[in-house]
Amino acid sequence: MPAYLAASDVLVSPRSRGTNTPLKIYQYLRSGKAIVATRLLTHTQVLSDETAILTEASPEGFARGILDALGDPVHAAQIGPAGASARRDDLQL
């Protein structure tokens, strides 16, 4: 899995419902890559606008988020490390 994460430009977690945080989110955060996820409790328990590109839970909204991440590599390069740093801070508490 680490090789796939390293090869990616953006990591995605498309959820349309639910409350449990997918375990892959923690791997995504550790990777330091930009994350695109839906703005639902399932993600916002762990992710924020500072650590991910959060979108509406629709195909169109999610596609816009992916295109935004790919189209603005500077922003994507900022939120990826922010997520990794935030996750390290949480683990130290």
Side-chain angles (χ1 to χ4, degrees), residues 56-73:
E56 63 185 77
S58 71
E60 298 80 12
F62 199 70
R64 272 193 304 277
I66 294 170
L67 292 173
D68 288 348
L70 295 173
D72 189 351

Side-chain angles (χ1 to χ4, degrees), residues 38-86:
T38 47
R39 189 182 299 278
L40 297 173
L41 183 61
T42 185
H43 292 120
T44 58
Q45 295 176 98
V46 176
L47 302 174
S48 69
D49 289 316
E50 290 76 35
T51 60
I53 296 172
L54 298 173
T55 73
E56 63 185 77
S58 71
E60 298 80 12
F62 199 70
R64 272 193 304 277
I66 294 170
L67 292 173
D68 288 348
L70 295 173
D72 189 351
V74 171
H75 179 62
Q78 292 170 338
I79 63 168
S85 176

